[in-house]
Structure formats: structure tokens, C-alpha cells
Amino acid sequence: FLSEREYSRRLGNMTLLDPTMNNDIGNKSFNEKIQIYKSSPILITQEIADFTKWGPDEIDERQAALADDALKIWTV
């Protein structure tokens, strides 16, 4: 099992945000962050708002989806 710190550094837990939004979001709870994610112009960031909670299972699910997307985009 990964620690909370290790999950915080996984690709599935990271997203692109405007620097101003990133400053505003800080260490707020996931429920407080949802509105910021929804208002992002970046679709992969908006998708995070579709989750009802955020923890290891959701991070793993998102990371797997990002990996699948990457394979579709960068096929050789």
C-alpha cells in the first residue's frame, strides 16, 4: 500500500490549473475544490469534478484512464 504522501505525487492526483486557480485551491477539501475544477477551461481538469470523493481508489482510476488516453494519443 502506498502512503498518503506517495499518492499525492502520483500522476492520477495531478492536474493542470491556471496559476491563480492553483493559488486559490491550496489545501482546501475536495468538495471545495470541485467548483474550481468545474470552472477550468481544461477538460482533463474538469473531469475530476465528476468524482464524488477523492482518495486512493479514485487516484488509481484516474491514473489508469490517463494512461489509456496516452496510449491512444501516442500510438506508433
Side-chain angles (χ1 to χ4, degrees), residues 17-61:
L17 280 174
D18 174 273
T20 303
M21 288 179 156
N22 196 36
N23 287 338
D24 291 343
I25 211 166
N27 289 324
K28 293 181 179 182
S29 71
F30 179 69
N31 288 335
E32 293 173 300
K33 293 177 180 181
I34 288 176
Q35 291 306 316
I36 294 170
Y37 295 145
K38 282 182 184 178
S39 68
S40 172
I42 302 167
L43 294 177
I44 61 171
T45 300
Q46 289 176 16
E47 291 172 353
I48 297 171
D50 293 338
F51 288 91
T52 56
K53 64 182 183 116
W54 196 250
D57 291 339
E58 293 75 22
I59 293 168
D60 287 342
E61 179 182 334

Side-chain angles (χ1 to χ4, degrees), residues 8-20:
S8 71
R9 294 180 177 167
R10 293 197 70 196
L11 181 61
N13 191 49
M14 297 185 186
T15 196
L16 300 170
L17 280 174
D18 174 273
T20 303

